[in-house]
Amino acid sequence: MKDTLIIFDTTLRDGEQSPGASMTRDEKLRVARQLERMRVDVIEAGFAAASNGDFEAVRGIAETVRESTVCSLARANERDIERAGEAIRPAAMGRVHTFIATSPIHMEKKLRMSPDQVVEQAVKAIGWARKYTDDVEFSAEDAGRSEIDFLCRIFEAVIDAGARTINVPDTVGYNVPDQFANTIRTLLERVPNADKVVWSVHCHNDLGLAVSNSLAAVLAGARQVECTINGLGERAGNASLEEVVMAVRTRADVFPVTTGIDTTQIVPASKLVSQITGYPVQPNKAIVGANAFAHESGIHQDGVLKHRETYEIMRAEDVGWRANKLVLGKHSGRNAFRARLQELGVRIASEEHLNAAFARFKELADKKHEIFDEDLQALMSDESLTPEVEHFRLLSSRFHSETGETPQAALTLSVGGTEHQSQATGSGPVDAAFKAIESVARSGAELLLYSVNAITTGTDAQGEVTVRLALGGKVVNGQGSDTDIIVASVKAYLNGLNKLQGKADKLNPQVGP
Ligand code: KIV
Ligand code: ZN
């Protein structure tokens, strides 16, 4: 019998700390439902103390998810832990995850606390958390650069205080596999009460080693891996869930563990997270990249046709790739539409919401005869379905682009309910359109990123545009999709402006003490 490797997904917490990746409560619920469907063991639903919105999102997930443990992060202080404990109260299985930094540089420069004070605070934190649940996890932030003697000391103390999971984060992605495995092995040997807890790792990808370090730690005895869909996360991201899970499964001869993950839900989860956060997946990304199972060269194609395993170590369908499946068409009725959304785990907020979405679906079906799941996901992500929350909205557009002529855009926008006309020229129609928007909005936002992806195949596919905008220290990703990519670009820019308007300040757990 192999041990179980606990898959702890932190897409909704660490993943959400990626610039511009913040999600609304509803978006987080959609991701959480998909994670539950994929049978993730633990969902880190957020950092409840960050803002009221984050608290509500964690609580909403705790109320909804039944099959996975729902966890909230908390710094090692009483208020954070109280917020986390209250937020997870409705969960069928709830966890509080508390942390404090343990490396010399973090203790001295960030926390301004002595090692003794850090141990004392950590032990108190476990006591506060246990008032809410027995399932308490402790993380030593920046363990990857902490002294091993100090780690042994603090871990022994928090285990005695009642922590059930001990997490060893390589917070800054500094470790290399052998060294990290050695740290885990040493901790398992030297911490006297090590056998009372599950050992966990949480690796960042600054040197591109997050997955390798996590897997090396598993070989050394770790039995929980913290990871994210598409490897989303602070800076270069976290270990990618799909890579960890498929490595363990594909190399069952090497790893003494199995996971409970339904791997066929991996690609749908990847697409959903990418669509909601606006972080596209690079085509050559392992497992979930568009080319991960595409055999371009003639030799490979020939080999795969003769015998698939000549070049394939995994089957595309095992991770959820399937040919674009026609799901609905222009004659599909409202009930079929509703049923498919329910199957996709999309919550329909109200009958008005359904009606608006159905009208949009019909418009799309007129332009594009075959509607796929990916089109429906994009359609449901479109915030213009709830116009009351939109300050900026596109009413109509006209673009002109001709060889030898300067491209022009003419837009009619609704700004706070009032109609505005604007026109501009630019180096291309997208540039002209963004200038036309700015001539009305005057936001002064800086455009950090612009990207276009086709949602499905075919020249009638919808283009999905992501723009990343920065203003006054806030960064947001705006998205828009349409069969016309200039219109998709306008929608994405307006979506970004709307998000900047509504973006509340929230605390990053790793910035303050
Ligand atoms: O990277 C890190 O150290 C973290 C902890 C809060 C677990 O995200
Ligand atoms: Zn992290």
Side-chain angles (χ1 to χ4, degrees), residues 210-231:
V211 171
S212 308
N213 285 339
S214 305
L215 294 173
V218 170
L219 290 174
R223 290 295 176 264
Q224 174 175 288
V225 170
E226 301 196 355
C227 44
T228 57
I229 304 292
N230 300 337

Side-chain angles (χ1 to χ4, degrees), residues 118-376:
V118 168
V119 175
E120 196 188 320
Q121 189 72 12
V123 168
K124 277 194 202 152
I126 305 300
W128 292 320
R130 277 176 52 98
K131 288 191 202 145
Y132 297 92
T133 172
D134 287 341
D135 190 352
V136 176
E137 171 170 335
F138 174 76
S139 284
E141 190 191 8
D142 206 15
R145 291 189 299 170
S146 301
E147 285 163 5
I148 194 78
D149 289 348
F150 185 59
L151 286 180
C152 289
R153 176 179 164 207
I154 196 166
F155 287 153
E156 182 182 353
V158 294
I159 296 169
D160 274 345
R164 274 205 196 158
T165 302
I166 297 295
N167 185 37
V168 185
D170 182 19
T171 304
V172 291
Y174 180 68
N175 281 231
V176 296
D178 263 6
Q179 171 205 2
F180 195 56
N182 204 28
T183 301
I184 301 299
R185 224 174 276 117
T186 309
L187 290 169
L188 288 174
E189 278 163 18
R190 283 193 37 200
V191 174
N193 42 9
D195 59 331
K196 303 217 162 27
V197 291
V198 173
W199 289 85
S200 167
V201 290
H202 173 113
C203 298
H204 279 269
N205 207 27
D206 300 65
L207 292 173
L209 293 171
V211 171
S212 308
N213 285 339
S214 305
L215 294 173
V218 170
L219 290 174
R223 290 295 176 264
Q224 174 175 288
V225 170
E226 301 196 355
C227 44
T228 57
I229 304 292
N230 300 337
L232 206 64
E234 282 270 11
R235 307 180 309 280
N238 289 72
S240 109
L241 179 146
E242 56 278 8
E243 293 177 23
V244 170
V245 167
M246 290 314 290
V248 163
R249 175 178 151 141
T250 308
R251 296 308 310 271
D253 55 328
V254 173
F255 293 99
V257 292
T258 52
T259 75
I261 296 293
D262 174 357
T263 59
T264 62
Q265 293 298 327
I266 285 179
V267 168
S270 162
K271 289 191 173 179
L272 181 66
V273 168
S274 168
Q275 214 151 45
I276 286 178
T277 58
Y279 269 69
V281 175
Q282 78 195 55
N284 58 335
K285 162 85 177 61
I287 322 289
V288 293
N291 290 351
F293 292 87
H295 296 278
E296 193 63 47
S297 87
I299 296 174
H300 286 206
Q301 282 178 6
D302 180 54
V304 169
L305 287 177
K306 283 183 182 141
H307 186 83
R308 169 138 107 170
E309 282 162 30
T310 48
Y311 287 99
E312 271 189 14
I313 57 166
M314 296 167 276
R315 296 187 325 161
E317 51 273 37
D318 289 349
V319 297
W321 283 108
R322 56 199 158 80
N324 285 332
K325 204 172 86 187
L326 170 67
V327 289
L328 295 171
K330 79 189 256 178
H331 300 298
S332 305
R334 208 162 159 278
N335 286 342
F337 178 69
R338 183 205 294 267
R340 190 63 203 147
L341 291 181
Q342 279 164 348
E343 276 164 32
L344 287 174
V346 177
R347 196 177 70 96
I348 300 157
S350 61
E351 280 306 297
E352 290 76 56
H353 187 223
L354 180 71
N355 291 343
F358 186 62
R360 193 67 63 80
F361 159 73
K362 285 285 179 186
E363 268 171 39
L364 182 63
D366 271 339
K367 291 192 237 167
K368 181 178 187 293
H369 301 297
E370 300 175 327
I371 308 285
F372 303 106
D373 283 346
E374 290 81 355
D375 291 312
L376 291 183

